[in-house]
Amino acid sequence: MKQSQYVHGYSDREAERLSDQAMTLADLLHDDTCFPPGSRVLEAGCGTGCQTCIVTSHSPGAEIVSVDISRTSLEMAQARLEDMGNPCHQFIGGDLFHLPFRESTFDHVFVCFVLEHLPDPVTALRALRGLLKPGGSITVIEGDHGSCYFHPETRKALAAWHCLIDIQAITGGNSLIGRQLYPLLETAGYENIHVSPRMVYSDHSKPEFEEGFVRKTIIPMVEGVRDQAIMAGMVTPGDFDEGIADLHVTASPEGSFCYTFFKGTAIIS
Ligand SMILES: C[S@@+](CC[C@H](N)C(=O)[O-])C[C@H]1O[C@@H](n2cnc3c(N)ncnc32)[C@H](O)[C@@H]1O
């Protein structure tokens, strides 16, 4: 994937969104994330390091190497880990399809919100598989935009949401990938696969999800494709903006919002 095709881009706003997303979903996605002391872990597609901080704090003593194709994101990730008191964390720039490691280097591979952006996720999973030691494991976390429903479900809110799905598909990604984790891992040659759906449900009794998930994670993600969707003729500016206004209502006393992430783990023999 060329960096320029990456649907969410590398703006400051996107960096902030990734941070809000990681903090809001930390308990839901990482209650069982823990890599043992002394193990060698590869984080593929670390972005600005939001998940890196969580994985690192859950895995004291693990030796974690984080890679990303974006130098700018890696610099932000490095600064984040330094702020956290982890100046020795190793960051490497590179394409996860062609990483500069020998076969059988790692005990674990961690991938979060990356496969959904790749035109060929099976090839990516196979490339990462080659870097695992026999008996090594992989953890993959992805969303699935088809799992989303909300109230009130207006026509314009749905249209704006579908612009995100369609633009991501045009840029070579697949935002409906969460439900495919099991078959993707199996096709890529992994064994002992377990996939667990992790549902986020937000209503007015859960202000942390209204704010951290709907307003700060979901809506900015949809807003991020506004110009591309209008340019592609998918929607008029007025309808898109009304759709965004309607999505804000889902995070108000009258609204609710539901979305499911998928976490897969597997091993190689
Ligand atoms: C949505 S971000 C997720 C970042 C991080 N895992 C998180 O959850 O906050 C996807 C990241 O994957 C990276 N990426 C996409 N394709 C890549 C590739 N072929 N090799 C390495 N990184 C890649 C992008 O640069 C971006 O930083």
Side-chain angles (χ1 to χ4, degrees):
M1 183 198 71
K2 292 193 199 112
Q3 283 194 43
S4 57
Q5 288 177 323
Y6 171 48
V7 66
H8 302 319
Y10 295 99
S11 63
D12 289 346
R13 190 165 189 223
E14 172 58 11
E16 198 179 323
R17 189 189 73 80
L18 287 173
S19 174
D20 287 323
Q21 172 173 253
M23 283 189 299
T24 306
L25 302 175
D27 290 344
L28 180 80
L29 300 182
H30 292 294
D31 60 331
D32 50 356
T33 303
C34 173
F35 301 116
S39 59
R40 294 204 72 195
V41 183
L42 170 68
E43 182 191 19
C46 65
T48 56
C50 306
Q51 306 292 339
T52 318
C53 290
I54 300 169
V55 172
T56 302
S57 65
H58 282 224
S59 308
E63 189 190 324
I64 305 176
V65 181
S66 300
V67 303
D68 201 280
I69 204 164
S70 159
R71 286 269 166 204
T72 316
S73 296
L74 279 177
E75 280 166 21
M76 293 174 82
Q78 190 149 15
R80 201 183 286 279
L81 268 284
E82 279 171 16
D83 284 352
M84 201 185 141
N86 238 321
C88 300
H89 191 100
Q90 208 185 337
F91 289 99
I92 294 180
D95 183 341
L96 63 84
F97 290 92
H98 308 285
L99 289 175
F101 302 110
R102 285 204 207 103
E103 278 184 15
S104 305
T105 298
F106 295 98
D107 299 290
H108 308 280
V109 168
F110 175 78
V111 195
C112 185
F113 307 145
V114 177
L115 296 185
E116 61 169 308
H117 300 295
L118 305 177
D120 192 349
V122 169
T123 305
L125 288 170
R126 285 197 182 118
L128 296 171
R129 182 174 179 273
L131 301 177
L132 279 170
K133 297 175 187 171
S137 65
I138 187 166
T139 300
V140 188
I141 300 174
E142 295 290 339
D144 189 317
H145 290 0
S147 72
C148 178
Y149 46 93
F150 43 80
H151 174 80
E153 194 178 66
T154 69
R155 186 178 58 79
K156 286 176 185 170
L158 273 179
W161 179 249
H162 280 279
C163 285
L164 174 62
I165 296 174
D166 293 344
I167 291 290
Q168 191 159 337
I170 288 170
T171 55
N174 175 10
S175 65
L176 312 178
I177 201 166
R179 71 190 75 173
Q180 296 179 25
L181 279 190
Y182 190 101
L184 288 172
L185 285 161
E186 188 165 59
T187 306
Y190 291 85
E191 294 161 30
N192 203 7
I193 305 163
H194 293 280
V195 175
S196 59
R198 315 251 166 148
M199 191 183 80
V200 185
Y201 168 69
S202 160
D203 63 24
H204 202 53
S205 70
K206 300 173 176 61
E208 69 282 12
F209 284 124
E210 278 189 334
E211 183 65 6
F213 189 64
V214 184
R215 287 197 203 104
K216 289 185 159 177
T217 300
I218 289 289
I219 293 178
M221 183 167 63
V222 181
E223 285 175 318
V225 300
R226 181 182 188 276
D227 294 349
Q228 293 167 83
I230 292 166
M231 289 256 294
M234 290 175 184
V235 66
T236 65
D239 280 358
F240 189 90
D241 295 342
E242 281 183 48
I244 293 293
D246 288 352
L247 282 174
H248 276 282
V249 180
T250 70
S252 76
E254 301 138 56
S256 65
F257 197 99
C258 206
Y259 184 99
T260 303
F261 294 89
F262 293 81
K263 181 171 186 175
T265 58
I267 61 164
I268 64 161
S269 53

